[in-house]
Amino acid sequence: MKAVHFGAGNIGRGFIGLLLHDAGYEVVFADVNAELIDALAASDDYTVHEVGDGARDRRVDRYRAVNSQTDAAALAAELADADVLTTAVGPNILRFIAPHVLQALRDRAPDAAPLAVMACENAIDATSLLRDETAKLAGPDEWLGLERRAVFANTAVDRIVPGQPGESGLDVTVETFSEWAIERPPFGDAPPPIPGAHFVDRLGPYIERKLFTVNTGHASTAYFGFLAGHERIAEALADPSVAARVERVLEETSALIVAKHGFTEEEQAQYRATILGRFRNAALPDTVERVGRQPLRKLGRRERFIGPAAELAERGLPVDGLLDAVEAALGFDVPADPESVELQQRVRTDDAETIVREVCGIEPRHPLHDRLVAAVTRRTAS
């Protein structure tokens, strides 16, 4: 079995690539980072170091590496007979992966088993986005014949992979917890063999529970912690004031998850407690600046703050904690992060209604609009 994985960074090596390796796949890493690809190509193995309860070191070997920017022919040859294609590149990069997916389907033998395509990103329906980008490149007539050569399945992924120390090389430090949920229906009775993942009949509840608890909570901790002067995530949550604000945010998102997806309050409370316990793992050297980066994307309409806040407002449920987190995100001023620089420029020059409409995607008649404008105004006026 062969899997081609786009994105040879820390998540690719320390999570998806690891699980595919442990499932018995021959793993081919594809990336545009020439230095990283060269290092992988020159090495025989690397180690994934787990930290936390039950931690152990995991050796990864039997992989290859291809530069997807400069060696399209080698990549196409690997994809032509691959069983699985996965990504961990960021949702905004998927459109650049689509041409490779299209070429893989064009080169695939008509009688071969369909290529299993799974985008492992922190976004809702990321695989559907990749499929749509691929179909757009093909055009409707060609796509009609090619689509059957692949199975596109959405996934939900969860593992904290912090920024790595500069001397770590290819090795990756990760938390012991990981979850890779994959929707089963697109595969029928033949899902790909990946023991480290689990297949579910309805993925939506798992994606939203993860996104609106893990991602919302992580980013909230980063933004509140940054404003409070903390460097690390665990340090920020050790601050009672920060912890209380994060817990209020997650109580609000939990109310939405319970109301919308049928999880019991007890189940969601336990899940929330587990997530906060993971954030408090002092062995993970995760910083508020790393977790908080790309604030413009994280303030988007379908993202971790505005997404749940909009639905809560539509249901008449509290959103004060989420609005507090949005206000904190607007204060995330990190010159090394291009999105932070752009956001700070907008905070200085744009009025609150423009930011709410263009950054957050909320229109004037939406029930969240006026309260969101008020929250943004508090930040832009300070």
Side-chain angles (χ1 to χ4, degrees), residues 79-361:
L79 284 168
D81 61 351
D83 300 284
V84 168
L85 184 157
T86 53
T87 76
V89 295
N92 296 336
I93 305 300
L94 290 175
R95 67 184 185 275
F96 301 112
I97 307 302
H100 300 296
V101 178
L102 178 58
Q103 189 62 49
L105 301 187
R106 285 171 173 165
D107 294 342
R108 199 166 191 81
D111 58 347
L115 176 65
V117 180
M118 295 169 286
C120 307
E121 311 292 348
N122 278 326
I124 296 172
D125 294 342
T127 307
S128 296
L129 173 61
L130 178 56
R131 179 199 61 210
D132 293 346
E133 293 286 347
T134 307
K136 189 191 315 180
L137 291 175
D141 292 339
E142 184 183 17
W143 187 244
L144 189 63
L146 289 181
E147 186 174 17
R148 70 192 67 179
R149 298 184 184 181
V151 173
F152 292 87
N154 286 300
T155 79
V157 290
D158 186 8
R159 173 168 246 182
I160 296 175
V161 182
Q164 307 293 307
E167 68 277 6
S168 60
L170 294 174
D171 290 358
V172 189
T173 297
V174 302
E175 65 170 336
T176 51
F177 179 94
S178 71
E179 182 179 47
W180 184 7
I182 305 170
E183 58 180 349
R184 179 190 299 275
F187 295 107
D189 296 329
I194 308 175
H198 66 277
F199 292 82
V200 298
D201 291 329
R202 294 177 59 243
L203 186 66
Y206 292 89
I207 291 179
E208 287 208 341
R209 183 173 73 159
K210 186 265 178 177
L211 181 60
F212 296 161
T213 310
V214 179
N215 296 78
T216 303
H218 218 194
S220 297
T221 304
Y223 296 137
F224 292 140
F226 177 83
L227 294 183
H230 299 297
E231 180 184 356
R232 298 183 182 272
I233 291 293
E235 173 192 333
L237 274 182
D239 180 335
S241 174
V242 171
R245 296 169 83 181
V246 173
E247 286 167 4
R248 183 170 69 155
V249 169
L250 294 187
E251 285 170 1
E252 291 176 359
T253 60
S254 290
L256 175 63
I257 290 161
V258 168
K260 185 176 179 181
H261 294 303
F263 294 107
T264 68
E265 291 186 2
E266 292 75 16
E267 286 174 323
Q268 183 57 23
Q270 180 58 51
Y271 182 73
R272 189 169 67 239
T274 298
I275 299 311
L276 289 171
R278 291 166 58 198
F279 295 166
R280 290 187 169 98
N281 184 350
L284 284 173
D286 223 351
T287 66
V288 298
E289 289 193 5
R290 189 200 74 83
V291 175
R293 65 189 178 187
Q294 297 183 318
L296 278 173
R297 177 175 65 85
K298 290 170 181 172
L299 288 169
R301 178 63 178 82
R302 299 188 68 201
E303 269 282 350
R304 60 207 71 194
F305 298 120
I306 306 303
E311 291 196 56
L312 285 164
E314 290 163 5
R315 294 169 181 261
L317 295 172
V319 294
D320 290 339
L322 282 161
L323 292 175
D324 187 26
V326 169
E327 189 176 343
L330 293 169
F332 185 69
D333 188 356
V334 177
D337 177 27
E339 283 199 14
S340 172
V341 173
E342 182 180 347
L343 179 60
Q344 292 310 306
Q345 178 64 29
R346 299 197 71 151
V347 166
R348 289 191 296 270
T349 61
D350 292 355
D351 60 75
E353 294 212 11
T354 299
I355 292 174
V356 167
R357 183 180 67 255
E358 296 183 359
V359 175
C360 304

Side-chain angles (χ1 to χ4, degrees), residues 42-91:
S43 66
D44 294 323
D45 59 24
Y46 66 85
T47 301
V48 177
H49 304 282
E50 295 179 342
V51 293
D53 294 338
R56 59 193 176 111
D57 285 350
R58 314 271 291 275
R59 179 173 175 263
V60 180
D61 58 5
R62 306 187 320 275
Y63 55 78
R64 293 192 298 282
V66 177
N67 189 315
S68 55
Q69 186 171 49
T70 63
D71 203 348
L75 178 57
E78 296 285 10
L79 284 168
D81 61 351
D83 300 284
V84 168
L85 184 157
T86 53
T87 76
V89 295

